[in-house]
Amino acid sequence: NVILERGKLRNIKANLLRQFYFAGDLEGRFIFPEFSLSPDAVYASIKLLEFLSFTNSAVSELLSQIPDFFFKHVIISCPGAKKAKLMRKIAEEAMEKRASFIDGVKIFFDGDWILLLPDQFTDNIHLFVQSSLPKKGEELLNQFHRKIERWIEENKNIIAKK
């Protein structure tokens, strides 16, 4: 069974970790509780090689099966007081498109996507863009980065007028 949880891979109770064979995050930290309750890159590398040995595959074979794609993560400064308004704006933008509102706002474009996610701990928002083509990815990144900056500026002007 796979359990996906949103959050940081820190301050997790040892008893909870021991219930799993593996825990990891998107930043490359992997925990194998059978060995340690802390991330360990060397052990994770050895486990990867162990898994590959079961299939008689080389790392190069595994890498050659991963298609090239564009992926960027941009952190945009956004005061906490403006995050809700910004997320409403992006949600409005997503209404006429295929979208997900589970973790932030994710908008799909023929296999490509953007995800806007407010940071829980800082005055930032995260813009993620994935595309099968670098040029299309850059276009989506620039388009939404400009929109977000414009929405933040518009909101600043509204607050300044009050």
Side-chain angles (χ1 to χ4, degrees):
N1 293 335
V2 175
I3 298 174
L4 298 174
E5 292 283 338
R6 179 175 174 209
K8 303 226 179 220
L9 196 57
R10 290 186 290 215
N11 301 325
I12 298 175
K13 301 283 185 210
N15 288 338
L16 177 65
L17 269 178
R18 285 189 184 100
Q19 296 175 22
F20 299 94
Y21 177 73
F22 167 80
D25 67 16
L26 295 176
E27 293 168 0
R29 288 183 285 267
F30 306 113
I31 297 174
F32 291 87
E34 68 182 5
F35 176 73
S36 171
L37 298 177
S38 300
D40 188 310
V42 173
Y43 190 77
S45 300
I46 292 167
K47 289 303 274 186
L48 172 65
L49 294 173
E50 178 187 359
F51 296 150
L52 286 174
S53 73
F54 297 138
T55 63
N56 293 320
S57 300
V59 174
S60 58
E61 285 179 58
L62 182 65
L63 291 174
S64 70
Q65 294 175 18
I66 301 171
D68 289 334
F69 64 93
F70 174 93
F71 180 82
K72 283 270 172 96
H73 170 212
V74 178
I75 299 172
I76 303 168
S77 178
C78 179
K82 297 180 184 178
K83 285 184 192 179
K85 176 116 175 141
L86 181 67
M87 294 308 291
R88 275 194 301 278
K89 288 288 248 182
I90 197 74
E92 289 169 8
E93 177 88 13
M95 292 310 279
E96 301 300 320
K97 300 175 177 77
R98 190 172 141 242
S100 169
F101 301 92
I102 293 172
D103 216 6
V105 178
K106 188 174 192 178
I107 305 173
F108 297 90
F109 304 91
D110 298 322
D112 304 331
W113 53 262
I114 66 106
L115 169 65
L116 191 64
L117 187 63
D119 194 297
Q120 296 174 328
F121 306 103
T122 66
D123 283 348
N124 295 309
I125 55 169
H126 299 267
L127 173 62
F128 297 88
V129 178
Q130 182 173 308
S131 176
S132 56
L133 301 171
K135 184 176 185 209
K136 176 82 185 287
E138 286 291 344
E139 288 171 1
L140 284 170
L141 177 68
N142 292 334
Q143 173 189 353
F144 279 90
H145 194 264
R146 281 192 305 270
K147 281 184 184 188
I148 292 163
E149 293 290 347
R150 188 180 74 239
W151 290 335
I152 291 171
E153 273 303 306
E154 286 172 1
N155 197 20
K156 183 188 339 182
N157 293 338
I158 291 169
I159 291 170
K161 289 179 185 177
K162 288 184 177 181

